[in-house]
Amino acid sequence: MGIPRTFKIFTSTNPQPIRETFLVHPFNTTPTNDFRNLCRGLAWRFSPRKKVEWGLRSEEEEKVYSWIYALAQSEKDLVFEYVRSTERGLSFSEAERRLKETGPNIPLQYPFPSWWHLLWNALFHPFNIILIVLSAISYISLDYGNGSIMLSLVFISVSLRFYQEYNSSKAAMKLSEFVKCPIKVQRCAGRTIQTELIVQVDKRDVVPGDIIIFEPGDLFPGDIRLLTSKHLVVSQSSLTGESGSTEKTADIREQACTPLLELKNICFMGTSVVSGVGAGLVISTGSKTYMSTMFSTTRKLKQLDDFERGIRHISCLLVPIMLVAVTIVFLICYDQSHDLSKSILFGISVASALTPQMLPLIINTSLAKGALAMANDRCIVKSLTAIKDMGSMDIICIDKTGTLTMNTAILINYFDSWGSPKEKVLHFAFLNAYFKTQQRYPLDDAIMAYAYTNGFRFQPSEWSKIDEIPFDFTRRYVSVILERQVNGKDKSNCSNDRVVITKGALEDVIKVCSYIEQVDCGDVQKISIENRQNITNLAEELSNEGLRLLGVAYRMLGREPNQGENAYDESVESDMVFIGLLSFIDPPKDSAKEALWWLAEKGVKAKVLTGDTPSLAMRICKEVGIRTTHVITGPELDLLDSDSFHEIVKKATVLARLTPDQKFRVVQALQKEHIVGFLGDGVNDSLALEAANVGISVDSGTSIAKATSDIILLEKDLNVLVAGVEQGRITFGNTMKYIKMSVISNLGSILGTLLATYFFQEESLTPRQLVIQNFLYNLGQITIPWDKMEDNYVKVPQRWSLRGLAMFTLWNAPVITLCDFSTLLFLWLYYDGQTISFCRTAWFVEGLLMQSLIIHLIRTEKIPFIEEVASWPVICSTVLISSVGIAIPFTPMGELMGFVPLPLSYFGFLVILFLGYFTVGQIVKRIYIRIYKRWL
């Protein structure tokens, strides 16, 4: 009894006290006996050892691993001592005490953000902070109008983003609510005589030391050490990502060299019972389970993407530029007027004009519009920034099952031993599937569906079931014993013989076969080595095509006088006659191939990351159009160094047999050069979902998968991703329009303002006039999110480039300054002697119209108004703002602001000026595109 010495390879290299690391449990208890083994375990903790799984583990992971392996290698009576429980279970009072001590049995997972967290994220934007600071300064300087405008912009922007993300978060939380699940628990009651009771409790109330009773369909509420089991089959797909099941048994003591997820006497939280029954002792709950610690040490905040980093860089660069500009304007103004308060107020107004005040609002409006469009495509956008990341995404990593395939089984063909289709093979397989009652699998439904839909009339009513030998993972096949019904009209033609029909894993079925039948002639002969080799060759050929195979065999049984129903055991599954095999496939979705083709057309490469076999993954990938020239498996990746790993992952299109940690590493490796999306729905996908730039899950996914994802699909359809990519690029493009036009117009206008201030020997515009001009300009830009994007733009992934923005500004801002200088020159030469009010009015109208028309030059790489026309909202806003700007000087409001009516000759000059601007701007645009190969 006790823990074998080989257990040392699973423990930490850091010496820790035995009570803290070797047998750590919520109650920090150790058994009182077997002292020698505990001392030996203490010695192992101080001995040198290596890791064998998951690389470097944290201390918490080491504790969980040590605890699980200790109980897996111990006898049942010692297990009860470890968790301080009894064979009768816990008393109700003790269970209640432990629940208070350990807390509710809720696994460690990503909580959905609270409302104040969403509000803080929406508010804490660099440009929001700049606007708030400038607003405060404006209020201090008694410029209430300017301050109110800036605060209004911040309020609208923050409210819009908070409203969208809060509603999305609430919708996602509804999809992830912890469903109440009753668990059968054995508790003991009574003061003098202990009575065992089976009660139902919610899985939140399960505590370490509880004995649970489970049956098919039940979820394990914690990590479980099995006490009893009968034909127990468990699905661990939530942890491994593989669709298969595994057999578990209580009557075994594991070895230390057994991989964790292959421990036969341990069941893990989040896995489920496929078939069989049993009882188990809860050894860990909540955050101390394997599922929780599996992800706890890698939880981290997503890193800022290129776009967010670029925005922060702009805000950082803007501050010193503002200080320089404000200082220069202040010195010029103060030198001319010697009015300190007036100069400060004008400087603040210039700083406000220099700030792209609408940037947070434009970004959030664009993202909210994109989220609304994606909601119409049945997906919930939890993080608005994920929309523009989808526009930049150039690699999408997807699972195979349920994404590329229909996650079902379809019978393809039925062969005899020589590869010829034979109806008898299907007939016997149908009878086996029809009459079996335990552990029904999708393959059984596939056999019956094929027979019914193709018109086969096998008449199961002619047969009666005598007995059934259920499937188990040792034999890996199932048998039914049938007898043909006696026909009352012709009893002479009816045999009393019975037949056992066996169906299961091909290699295991062949092992129990001593004969082989030539179905055409009914000749049964001894199976030879050559026959076995032919069957093996046929199976390999079909398996390489990604097909799943089942073997079919039978044996005729004589009826003994004393042998009735339910009197058969596994001994009848010997000396059987092999008749053939069946092939199945999980077919690809009809929409998958088209969706992948559209994604490829838009520059998004697909990589399949799956836990299934390479052959199966390759077959599906070929059918949906994914190249399979570069395929690698998880075990092969483990043999590579860091550099080789990165290079192989870049080239590979199919990565099979991956563990959750390997999926995580693959995503991280790809992110060094790409914007990566990941589509997954299981616990095993959570690491990769969080690491990806765009994490995508589905509403049927696990809670932790939905919590770590950015987008939740209400339909697992790749066509939704295609729409999301398009929407992301439109959102990104419209945002870049505003950023580029704001940067060049603001910088160009500030240079013009400095020239005008020096030229007029006065403020070029009063603070109030400057604020109104800036407000009208910003108001005209609010329709940019509703603008359309050119087809060429949405065909390729879009990436943020700070260097590209800098070069764009250097090329285009001088064109605006040139136009401003031309206006000043015209005012000086043609209207020499006019009052300062006239000059300010002319400067106000020219600046407002210039900034409004810049939108149309910047928004397209084509010739505006000729080759490409903006959307109607943009055109209407341009016309409206321009009309208001022209009309203001002729209204009482204009008189109140210090404006005077302008002569018709000035508007004639503006027509010539803007034609010149568009001509020069288009020439600069052509040269820029020729050099840098892009515009926006």
Side-chain angles (χ1 to χ4, degrees):
M1 187 181 297
I3 303 168
R5 181 166 184 158
T6 51
F7 177 72
K8 64 182 180 181
I9 61 174
F10 292 96
T11 53
S12 173
T13 57
N14 298 323
Q16 296 288 340
I18 183 68
R19 292 174 63 86
E20 294 181 7
T21 55
F22 176 53
L23 295 175
V24 171
H25 190 267
F27 307 108
N28 290 324
T29 60
T30 57
T32 57
N33 60 358
D34 216 348
F35 178 75
R36 181 173 57 184
N37 283 304
L38 291 180
C39 293
R40 186 181 301 169
L42 181 61
W44 301 335
R45 296 299 294 172
F46 289 93
S47 61
R49 55 193 63 84
K50 63 180 180 179
K51 310 286 181 185
V52 297
E53 290 187 333
W54 287 79
L56 186 64
R57 300 195 202 105
S58 69
E59 182 179 351
E60 288 301 317
E61 286 179 301
E62 286 290 353
K63 292 177 180 180
V64 171
Y65 273 61
S66 299
W67 176 247
I68 291 175
Y69 272 101
L71 300 184
Q73 296 173 89
S74 302
E75 295 285 359
K76 296 177 185 176
D77 57 348
L78 189 59
V79 172
F80 281 113
E81 291 191 41
Y82 278 141
V83 297
R84 294 207 310 179
S85 185
T86 67
E87 294 181 355
R88 297 186 182 91
L90 299 175
S91 66
F92 287 92
S93 58
E94 175 63 15
E96 185 177 353
R97 186 191 69 80
R98 294 192 183 191
L99 183 62
K100 292 179 180 179
E101 183 176 332
T102 61
N105 178 29
I106 301 175
L108 180 66
Q109 53 185 300
Y110 289 78
F112 288 97
S114 58
W115 67 268
W116 58 265
H117 183 76
L118 295 174
L119 182 61
W120 174 259
N121 286 340
L123 178 63
F124 197 74
H125 187 281
F127 284 99
N128 283 339
I129 301 302
I130 291 176
L131 290 177
I132 291 173
V133 172
L134 289 176
S135 175
I137 296 175
S138 297
Y139 277 110
I140 293 173
S141 304
L142 304 181
D143 186 7
Y144 301 117
N146 194 13
S148 299
I149 290 173
M150 287 187 283
L151 280 184
S152 299
L153 293 174
V154 172
F155 176 79
I156 296 172
S157 172
V158 172
S159 300
L160 187 64
R161 178 162 185 169
F162 172 74
Y163 174 79
Q164 180 62 43
E165 292 196 344
Y166 180 69
N167 282 346
S168 298
S169 182
K170 283 203 304 183
M173 288 175 67
K174 289 181 180 179
L175 295 176
S176 301
E177 288 179 349
F178 197 93
V179 179
K180 288 190 175 181
C181 180
I183 304 294
K184 292 181 180 178
V185 176
Q186 177 178 302
R187 296 271 170 86
C188 59
R191 294 183 178 181
T192 306
I193 301 176
Q194 294 287 313
T195 304
E196 298 173 4
L197 299 175
I198 304 298
V199 297
Q200 285 193 342
V201 301
D202 188 76
K203 62 182 175 181
R204 290 173 176 260
D205 300 328
V206 173
V207 297
D210 268 332
I211 296 176
I212 66 166
I213 313 298
F214 49 82
E215 56 190 19
D218 287 346
L219 284 172
F220 289 106
D223 291 342
I224 308 296
R225 170 60 160 90
L226 293 177
L227 300 176
T228 63
S229 63
K230 182 179 180 181
H231 303 307
L232 179 59
V233 180
V234 174
S235 171
Q236 298 187 151
S237 60
S238 61
L239 299 179
T240 65
E242 298 182 18
S243 56
S245 303
T246 182
E247 185 185 26
K248 299 285 186 177
T249 179
D251 300 325
I252 190 175
R253 285 181 61 188
E254 287 289 1
Q255 300 297 318
C257 58
T258 305
L260 187 75
L261 293 179
E262 295 180 17
L263 294 174
K264 296 293 186 181
N265 58 8
I266 298 292
C267 297
F268 300 95
M269 174 183 249
T271 61
S272 59
V273 180
V274 176
S275 61
V277 295
L281 183 66
V282 179
I283 60 176
S284 300
T285 59
S287 61
K288 296 185 181 297
T289 59
Y290 167 73
M291 186 182 76
S292 296
T293 56
M294 183 181 179
F295 306 102
S296 61
T297 56
T298 54
R299 293 178 64 187
K300 59 182 180 60
L301 293 174
K302 283 181 181 281
Q303 296 181 356
L304 292 176
D305 57 20
D306 292 342
F307 185 88
E308 291 294 333
R309 283 196 296 268
I311 294 297
R312 292 176 185 271
H313 288 157
I314 292 177
S315 62
C316 292
L317 291 173
L318 186 61
V319 172
I321 293 175
M322 287 172 53
L323 291 175
V324 172
V326 169
T327 302
I328 294 174
V329 169
F330 171 78
L331 292 176
I332 295 175
C333 187
Y334 184 73
D335 181 63
Q336 295 170 349
S337 65
H338 297 287
D339 188 333
L340 182 60
S341 60
K342 182 179 178 181
S343 302
I344 293 176
L345 192 59
F346 184 64
I348 294 173
S349 301
V350 170
S352 174
L354 185 60
T355 306
Q357 298 176 8
M358 295 291 287
L359 181 59
L361 182 58
I362 293 294
I363 292 176
N364 292 332
T365 303
S366 297
L367 295 178
K369 179 178 175 292
L372 183 62
M374 294 184 69
N376 293 332
D377 289 324
R378 292 186 57 75
C379 63
I380 297 173
V381 180
K382 287 173 52 188
S383 173
L384 291 182
T385 57
I387 298 176
K388 62 178 183 297
D389 286 335
M390 287 193 74
S392 302
M393 181 176 68
D394 55 352
I395 287 182
I396 177 71
C397 297
I398 54 181
D399 189 19
K400 175 187 67 66
T401 305
T403 303
L404 297 180
T405 66
M406 298 175 66
N407 197 19
T408 187
I410 292 181
L411 177 63
I412 298 297
N413 218 325
Y414 41 92
F415 302 102
D416 65 7
S417 304
W418 291 268
S420 300
K422 300 299 179 184
E423 184 177 321
K424 184 175 181 180
V425 179
L426 178 62
H427 186 187
F428 274 41
F430 173 86
L431 292 175
N432 180 286
Y434 183 89
F435 284 103
K436 64 172 290 193
T437 56
Q438 300 185 33
Q439 307 167 10
R440 295 201 63 82
Y441 292 107
L443 297 181
D444 298 313
D445 297 331
I447 294 170
M448 297 175 63
Y450 185 92
Y452 287 131
T453 56
N454 287 276
F456 291 98
R457 299 184 181 277
F458 294 134
Q459 297 181 344
S461 60
E462 294 182 355
W463 298 82
S464 61
K465 177 181 174 182
I466 304 302
D467 199 1
E468 175 179 350
I469 306 175
F471 177 93
D472 66 56
F473 273 75
T474 302
R475 294 160 43 254
R476 298 204 301 167
Y477 45 77
V478 60
S479 299
V480 293
I481 294 88
L482 306 179
E483 184 179 70
R484 189 181 292 274
Q485 294 279 9
V486 175
N487 189 328
K489 295 181 180 180
D490 189 9
K491 295 184 179 181
S492 62
N493 292 333
C494 297
S495 170
N496 288 330
D497 289 344
R498 295 177 176 180
V499 61
V500 53
I501 302 176
T502 300
K503 168 175 60 64
L506 179 60
E507 57 271 26
D508 291 283
V509 171
I510 293 176
K511 289 178 182 178
V512 296
C513 291
S514 301
Y515 303 93
I516 190 169
E517 178 179 332
Q518 292 183 350
V519 179
D520 285 338
C521 58
D523 181 31
V524 177
Q525 59 188 17
K526 275 279 188 180
I527 190 169
S528 64
I529 296 177
E530 183 180 357
N531 293 142
R532 294 182 186 276
Q533 188 60 46
N534 288 338
I535 296 172
T536 301
N537 292 339
L538 176 61
E540 288 182 355
E541 181 181 345
L542 295 173
S543 295
N544 290 335
E545 295 179 4
L547 298 176
R548 185 173 179 178
L549 305 177
L550 291 181
V552 183
Y554 75 94
R555 177 187 171 187
M556 301 305 298
L557 302 174
R559 183 172 182 180
E560 300 293 336
N562 59 348
Q563 195 170 32
E565 296 185 4
N566 303 320
Y568 294 94
D569 56 26
E570 297 176 7
S571 62
V572 302
E573 299 171 325
S574 61
D575 294 330
M576 304 194 75
V577 181
F578 185 82
I579 59 171
L581 63 158
L582 310 169
S583 61
F584 302 83
I585 189 175
D586 182 2
K589 288 184 176 179
D590 296 335
S591 61
K593 186 172 184 179
E594 180 184 4
L596 289 171
W597 184 85
W598 278 111
L599 286 172
E601 283 288 300
K602 297 183 182 304
V604 181
K605 298 179 181 178
K607 291 181 181 288
V608 176
L609 277 59
T610 179
D612 283 331
T613 61
S615 58
L616 187 57
M618 289 173 63
R619 176 186 176 92
I620 296 299
C621 289
K622 288 177 182 178
E623 294 195 20
V624 298
I626 297 177
R627 292 183 179 179
T628 57
T629 52
H630 295 89
V631 181
I632 194 167
T633 64
E636 292 171 336
L637 288 176
D638 282 339
L639 301 177
L640 302 176
D641 57 35
S642 179
D643 294 335
S644 300
F645 183 93
H646 180 67
E647 291 300 320
I648 292 294
V649 165
K650 281 200 306 182
K651 296 179 181 178
T653 54
V654 180
L655 298 96
R657 289 294 186 192
L658 296 184
T659 65
D661 185 53
Q662 288 168 337
K663 291 183 180 181
F664 174 73
R665 291 174 57 205
V666 167
V667 170
Q668 281 193 322
L670 294 172
Q671 283 179 309
K672 294 180 179 179
E673 299 179 10
H674 303 277
I675 301 297
V676 182
F678 187 89
L679 173 59
D681 58 0
V683 174
N684 59 302
D685 296 321
S686 299
L687 292 176
L689 279 170
E690 188 189 18
N693 299 95
V694 186
I696 308 165
S697 186
V698 294
D699 66 333
S700 59
T702 60
S703 295
I704 192 171
K706 288 182 285 190
T708 54
S709 62
D710 304 302
I711 295 174
I712 299 176
L713 305 183
L714 300 182
E715 294 179 5
K716 201 170 186 179
D717 189 348
L718 290 178
N719 283 306
V720 178
L721 295 184
V722 177
V725 167
E726 292 181 348
Q727 193 59 50
R729 291 177 185 175
I730 292 173
T731 300
F732 186 91
N734 284 332
T735 304
M736 290 307 301
K737 287 178 187 178
Y738 175 77
I739 291 175
K740 290 190 171 183
M741 68 180 62
S742 294
V743 170
I744 66 168
S745 65
N746 288 355
L747 289 179
S749 298
I750 287 301
L751 292 175
T753 298
L754 295 177
L755 289 174
T757 302
Y758 182 78
F759 180 84
F760 296 149
Q761 296 296 308
E762 284 276 356
E763 300 166 337
S764 56
L765 292 173
T766 65
R768 181 179 298 178
Q769 294 169 347
L770 189 58
V771 168
I772 293 299
Q773 184 192 58
N774 198 39
F775 175 75
L776 290 174
Y777 166 59
N778 289 328
L779 195 62
Q781 292 177 321
I782 202 170
T783 57
I784 289 177
W786 284 267
D787 195 15
K788 56 186 178 180
M789 294 300 304
E790 298 170 8
D791 294 337
N792 291 336
Y793 189 86
V794 298
K795 284 184 178 179
V796 295
Q798 303 297 330
R799 297 287 297 271
W800 169 273
S801 173
L802 187 60
R803 180 178 180 276
L805 179 61
M807 299 308 299
F808 187 91
T809 303
L810 291 175
W811 277 79
N812 291 276
V815 179
I816 299 175
T817 304
L818 178 63
C819 292
D820 289 341
F821 180 77
S822 300
T823 302
L824 291 174
L825 194 62
F826 178 76
L827 292 174
W828 179 45
L829 295 176
Y830 193 81
Y831 295 110
D832 185 31
Q834 290 290 345
T835 63
I836 187 62
S837 297
F838 175 86
C839 293
R840 285 174 175 169
T841 305
W843 187 250
F844 173 88
V845 173
E846 184 270 343
L848 181 60
L849 296 183
M850 173 65 72
Q851 289 182 320
S852 299
L853 293 176
I854 284 174
I855 298 175
H856 297 273
L857 183 70
I858 299 301
R859 61 169 299 276
T860 176
E861 63 181 39
K862 299 177 181 178
I863 301 176
F865 303 113
I866 298 176
E867 295 181 335
E868 174 68 14
V869 181
S871 64
W872 282 109
V874 174
I875 292 177
C876 290
S877 69
T878 301
V879 172
L880 178 62
I881 298 304
S882 299
S883 300
V884 170
I886 294 173
I888 281 180
F890 300 94
T891 64
M893 179 181 176
E895 183 178 355
L896 183 64
M897 294 177 59
F899 290 143
V900 296
L902 295 172
L904 188 62
S905 58
Y906 182 72
F907 293 103
F909 162 75
L910 290 181
V911 171
I912 298 173
L913 177 69
F914 293 142
L915 288 175
Y917 168 70
F918 275 109
T919 302
V920 175
Q922 194 64 30
I923 294 173
V924 171
K925 182 192 298 183
R926 290 291 101 203
I927 298 174
Y928 180 88
I929 294 175
R930 184 178 294 272
I931 294 175
Y932 298 101
K933 310 301 180 185
R934 61 177 300 171
W935 179 239
L936 289 176

